[in-house]
């Protein structure tokens, strides 16, 4: 009695369905892990609350306060945290603790893993953005735009920025030798970029030229500029690097990082840890 | 009827740089058999089992597992193969129930997670986070995850390393049950002799990347050069025929032989003999 596939045998579930189930347990695991919640989710919220409370004053020629200027930039930093750092450290941990090894041994299409990770990052990033906007509106009197065109801008900056950071994070996960070093490997570039992209240091136009040039190569600067164009009046434009929101250039840089990140993911992703042979 | 073996390996080789991990290994595992790969650390057990699982490439040799080359295995093949890898630290924040229900979703015809929890004796821990489980409980969860898809073939890589003796015996009962009532073919790696003796229909002793002996535990003991040792109050003698020796001693003492003990060679003697010869 050789057993072949019998008629009526249930089929294996699709990658899309498994991806959804993976997203569910990924989100659950994320919020149950104190380290992840503290460093990835709570950190940008705390920094916005602190810096917003520390700095005061209004920019000349506008009625925008320091805290209001900081808020949209911190949303960009929040997106980078919940995509780039979250995925970079999360996947390094999965490689180290046996998650990927176990998944390679079950009938799961590899795409289901990535669908799960990206949906998880999306859910957490939306949560992060809502939390940061909430603080900005309640504590720092940021007014939400009513113009639908501004929300459209918010939409594409968010999607392009989150995608670029997520793909870069997945690619960077392989740089860390182990889960323990992943936190440092991911946080260092993140913190440096937050300074040289005019997030922690405001306004961006006051940054020294070489740092500004370096920051302009990376997506965070452009994402922050995009979010400022959504929430701040044009009267703040003199504080920018050039007196324009440069939407075309933002789209171009973020899209380039999406493509570059995708290529890096496809060429460098490893299922095995570097230490195992 | 000549059945194709579930696992068939011929001339398997794998080197890491200068180190030869597997050096021309041959192995057959028939359907429904429980076979133990027994050997010291570094003998090539894990490399071999990972090649059979499709997790590692080989340098040379023929490998067929459930009729397929595992290095080109697809997801339908994965449905029929269960893997319990060496101990890992994943799934920590999920509960036992969540982990089992999740992994059941990958398979077309999974076991019922509740019954499976019962089978591996984790019902009392169903709502506990995986990271709070003891080593033995975690290992039982690993087995549950390995068999949730009703595999035809189960790989167990050092399933009881770090267990206390009681936990090990409970674990063995679980594996025997799987092999007995479910007819699951099992290939397990172990460096514990007792484990091989307790579980396996056949023991393949692996040393230096080669199989140096392959027989039932009883036959292994039978073919040893070590002989039965008879000891008594003022003497000790090795013999192939202990009954004759004891009869002669009884005659000499004119009745009971003082402090008489008879020791059969154990599997351990055979094993130490084998790995001593090979290394």
């Amino acid at each position: 009695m050789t057993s072949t596939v019998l008629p009526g045998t249930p089929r294996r579930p699709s990658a899309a369905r498994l991806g959804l189930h993976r997203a569910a347990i990924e989100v659950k695991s994320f919020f149950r892990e104190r380290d992840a919640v503290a460093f990835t989710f709570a950190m940008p919220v705390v920094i916005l609350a602190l810096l917003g409370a520390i700095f005061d004053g209004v920019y000349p020629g506008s009625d925008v306060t320091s805290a209001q200027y900081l808020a949209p930039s911190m949303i960009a930093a929040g997106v980078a945290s919940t995509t780039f750092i979250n995925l970079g450290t999360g996947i390094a941990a999965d490689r180290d603790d046996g998650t990927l090894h176990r998944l390679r041994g079950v009938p799961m299409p590899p795409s289901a893993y990535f669908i799960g990770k990206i949906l998880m990052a999306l859910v957490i990033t939306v949560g992060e953005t809502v939390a940061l906007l909430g603080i900005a509106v309640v504590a720092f009197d940021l007014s939400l735009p009513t113009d639908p065109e501004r929300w459209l801008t918010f939409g594409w900056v968010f999607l392009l920025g989150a995608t670029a950071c997520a793909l870069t994070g997945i690619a960077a996960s392989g740089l860390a030798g182990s889960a323990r070093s992943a936190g440092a490997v991911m946080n260092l570039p993140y913190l440096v970029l937050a300074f040289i992209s005019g997030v922690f240091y405001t306004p961006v136009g006051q940054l020294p030229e070489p740092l500004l040039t370096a920051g302009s190569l990376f997506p965070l600067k452009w994402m922050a500029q995009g979010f400022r164009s959504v929430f701040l009046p044009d009267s703040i434009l003199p504080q920018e690097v050039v007196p324009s929101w440069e939407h075309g250039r933002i789209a171009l840089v973020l899209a380039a990082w999406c493509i570059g990140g995708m290529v890096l993911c496809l060429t460098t992703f490893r299922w095995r840890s570097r230490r195992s042979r | 009827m000549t059945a194709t073996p579930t696992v068939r390996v011929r001339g398997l080789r794998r080197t890491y740089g200068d180190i030869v991990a597997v050096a021309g290994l041959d192995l057959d595992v028939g359907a429904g058999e429980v076979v133990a790969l027994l050997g010291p650390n570094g003998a090539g057990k894990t490399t071999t089992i990972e090649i059979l699982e499709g997790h590692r490439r080989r340098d040379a040799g023929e490998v067929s597992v459930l009729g397929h080359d595992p290095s080109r295995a697809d997801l339908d093949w994965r449905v029929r193969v269960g893997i319990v890898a060496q101990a890992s630290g994943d799934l920590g924040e999920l509960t036992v129930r969540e982990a089992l229900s999740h992994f059941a979703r990958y398979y077309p015809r999974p076991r019922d997670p509740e019954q499976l929890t019962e089978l591996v004796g984790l019902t009392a821990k169903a709502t506990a986070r995986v990271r709070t489980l003891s080593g033995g409980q975690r290992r039982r969860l690993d087995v549950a995850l390995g068999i949730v898809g009703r595999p035809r073939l189960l790989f167990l890589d050092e399933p009881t390393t770090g267990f206390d003796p009681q936990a090990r015996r409970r674990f063995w009962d679980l594996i025997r049950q799987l092999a007995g009532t479910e007819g699951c073919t099992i290939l397990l790696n172990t460096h514990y002799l007792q484990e091989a003796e307790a579980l396996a229909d056949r023991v393949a002793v692996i040393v230096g990347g080669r199989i140096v002996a392959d027989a039932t535990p009883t036959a292994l003991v039978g073919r040893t050069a070590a002989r039965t040792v008879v000891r008594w109050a003022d003497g000790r003698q090795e013999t192939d025929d202990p009954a004759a020796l004891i009869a002669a001693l009884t005659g000499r003492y004119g009745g009971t032989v003082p402090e008489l003990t008879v020791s059969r060679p154990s599997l351990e003697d055979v094993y130490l003999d084998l790995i001593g010869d090979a290394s």
Side-chain angles (χ1 to χ4, degrees), chain B residues 39 48 51 70 108 137 174 219:
Chain B
T48 301
I51 290 170
Q137 290 164 341
L174 168 63

Side-chain angles (χ1 to χ4, degrees), chain A residues 272-277, chain B residues 14-17 19 21 42 47 50 55-57:
Chain A
R272 303 192 63 104
S273 141
R274 204 184 290 165
R275 284 170 310 168
S276 65
R277 300 175 290 187
Chain B
R14 176 72 159 97
T15 54
Y16 302 117
I19 301 159
T47 297
E50 289 195 345
H55 280 163
R56 218 172 259 280
R57 58 172 187 78

Side-chain angles (χ1 to χ4, degrees), chain B residues 224-242:
Chain B
T224 181
R227 305 195 304 181
T228 302
V229 179
V230 178
R231 291 187 187 82
W232 64 98
D234 21 58
R236 175 187 181 281
Q237 193 177 329
E238 289 185 18
T239 176
D240 288 326
D241 190 355

Side-chain angles (χ1 to χ4, degrees), chain A:
Chain A
M1 25 164 256
T2 47
S3 75
T4 48
V5 177
L6 303 166
T9 300
R11 290 163 52 91
R12 278 186 292 106
S14 70
R17 231 179 90 190
L18 287 177
L20 280 176
H21 288 303
R22 285 214 58 79
I25 63 156
E26 294 266 18
V27 170
K28 223 180 257 182
S29 294
F30 178 91
F31 281 107
R32 286 176 184 176
E33 192 154 357
R34 258 177 250 139
D35 287 8
V37 175
F39 282 98
T40 310
F41 193 84
M43 191 80 103
V45 175
V46 171
I47 291 176
L48 173 63
L50 276 178
L51 292 184
I54 291 168
F55 298 117
D56 54 3
V58 170
Y59 289 104
S62 75
D63 52 4
V64 176
T65 66
S66 311
Q68 287 166 350
Y69 186 90
L70 176 69
S73 313
M74 275 310 300
I75 291 175
V79 168
S81 180
T82 51
T83 53
F84 177 74
I85 293 189
N86 174 14
L87 293 179
T89 54
I91 294 173
D94 284 352
R95 200 177 279 124
D96 224 30
D97 70 13
T99 301
L100 291 185
H101 190 74
R102 190 189 297 282
L103 290 176
R104 300 248 40 201
V106 303
M108 178 198 77
S111 56
Y113 174 75
F114 294 104
I115 294 172
K117 277 285 173 200
I118 286 171
L119 285 180
M120 177 268 282
L122 189 69
V123 168
I124 292 162
T125 304
V126 168
E128 178 83 39
T129 305
V130 169
L132 288 168
L133 267 181
I135 291 182
V137 168
V138 172
F140 306 126
D141 293 324
L142 184 78
S143 49
L144 297 180
T146 47
D147 182 359
E149 205 176 315
R150 287 196 174 219
W151 283 111
L152 186 70
T153 306
F154 179 84
W156 68 254
V157 172
F158 181 89
L159 270 183
L160 279 180
T163 307
C165 292
L167 291 170
T168 318
I170 293 173
S173 70
L175 295 176
S178 68
R180 216 184 303 170
S181 64
V185 168
M186 303 300 293
N187 270 296
L188 185 66
Y190 168 76
L191 287 173
V192 169
L193 284 181
F195 277 102
I196 67 175
S197 304
V199 176
F200 294 165
Y201 183 90
T202 58
V204 65
Q206 302 278 306
L207 277 167
E209 187 71 32
L211 294 187
L212 200 55
T213 311
S216 302
L217 297 174
F218 297 93
L220 184 56
K221 187 252 181 197
W222 302 98
M223 196 174 17
Q225 187 170 320
F227 287 144
R228 285 196 297 272
S229 81
V230 172
F231 296 102
L232 302 183
D234 290 355
S235 58
I236 197 72
L237 274 175
Q239 306 298 331
E240 293 294 315
V241 181
V242 294
S244 154
W245 291 122
E246 301 180 286
H247 278 165
R249 184 168 290 186
I250 293 172
L252 211 66
V253 175
L254 293 182
W257 272 93
C258 289
I259 294 165
M262 179 61 100
V263 170
L264 275 179
C265 283
L266 293 175
T267 50
T268 65
F269 190 84
R270 294 176 292 110
W271 287 93
R272 303 192 63 104
S273 141
R274 204 184 290 165
R275 284 170 310 168
S276 65
R277 300 175 290 187

Side-chain angles (χ1 to χ4, degrees), chain B:
Chain B
M1 182 184 121
T2 49
T4 323
T6 303
V7 175
R8 184 175 190 280
V9 181
R10 290 293 178 275
L12 181 64
R13 290 185 63 84
R14 176 72 159 97
T15 54
Y16 302 117
D18 294 339
I19 301 159
V20 180
V22 183
L25 181 140
D26 298 335
L27 181 70
D28 284 321
V29 181
E33 249 189 320
V34 179
V35 174
L37 264 182
L38 174 69
N41 288 327
K45 301 190 297 291
T46 294
T47 297
T48 301
I49 215 164
E50 289 195 345
I51 290 170
L52 300 186
E53 290 166 355
H55 280 163
R56 218 172 259 280
R57 58 172 187 78
R58 59 185 189 265
D59 295 330
E62 281 170 53
V63 178
S64 162
V65 176
L66 293 167
H68 288 75
D69 180 344
S71 68
R72 284 194 287 274
D74 59 9
L75 297 181
D76 289 321
W77 182 83
R78 289 256 169 247
V79 169
R80 297 186 289 147
V81 173
I83 294 176
V84 178
Q86 287 189 12
S88 62
D90 58 335
L91 308 170
E93 298 300 329
L94 299 178
T95 67
V96 168
R97 179 177 289 145
E98 284 167 343
L100 283 174
S101 310
H102 176 74
F103 278 88
R105 293 185 193 282
Y106 293 103
Y107 297 91
R109 224 166 39 85
R111 284 172 205 268
D112 174 57
E114 295 299 320
Q115 285 171 14
L116 183 54
T117 311
E118 178 84 47
L119 178 69
V120 299
L122 286 175
T123 304
K125 290 280 172 185
T127 58
R129 297 276 173 90
V130 172
R131 65 176 158 75
T132 65
L133 300 182
S134 72
Q137 290 164 341
R138 237 211 104 98
R139 233 36 202 134
R140 279 184 275 155
L141 173 64
D142 284 335
V143 171
L145 292 169
I147 62 174
V148 66
R150 301 177 196 274
R152 299 302 310 141
L153 168 65
L154 180 64
F155 292 109
L156 295 165
D157 197 354
E158 301 194 353
T160 63
T161 298
F163 279 30
D164 62 51
Q166 196 191 3
R168 182 168 293 131
R169 270 170 212 287
R170 278 206 301 262
F171 193 88
W172 290 348
D173 288 339
L174 168 63
I175 301 303
R176 284 199 199 99
Q177 197 179 339
L178 278 177
T181 60
E182 319 246 341
C184 188
T185 306
I186 297 176
L187 179 61
L188 86 144
N189 269 356
T190 182
H191 53 245
Y192 295 119
L193 273 156
Q194 276 179 304
E195 186 154 282
E197 200 169 15
L199 292 180
D201 301 322
R202 245 175 57 225
V203 179
V205 180
I206 177 171
V207 180
R210 267 195 206 89
I211 303 290
V212 296
D214 184 345
T216 63
T218 325
L220 268 185
V221 175
R223 59 172 258 189
T224 181
R227 305 195 304 181
T228 302
V229 179
V230 178
R231 291 187 187 82
W232 64 98
D234 21 58
R236 175 187 181 281
Q237 193 177 329
E238 289 185 18
T239 176
D240 288 326
D241 190 355
L245 176 62
I246 291 166
L249 285 171
T250 310
R252 202 189 306 164
Y253 283 96
T256 313
V257 183
E259 297 169 38
L260 176 72
T261 61
V262 181
S263 337
R264 299 268 303 142
S266 67
L267 184 56
E268 186 163 358
D269 298 325
V270 183
Y271 174 68
L272 291 175
D273 239 28
L274 285 168
I275 67 171
D277 287 352
S279 54

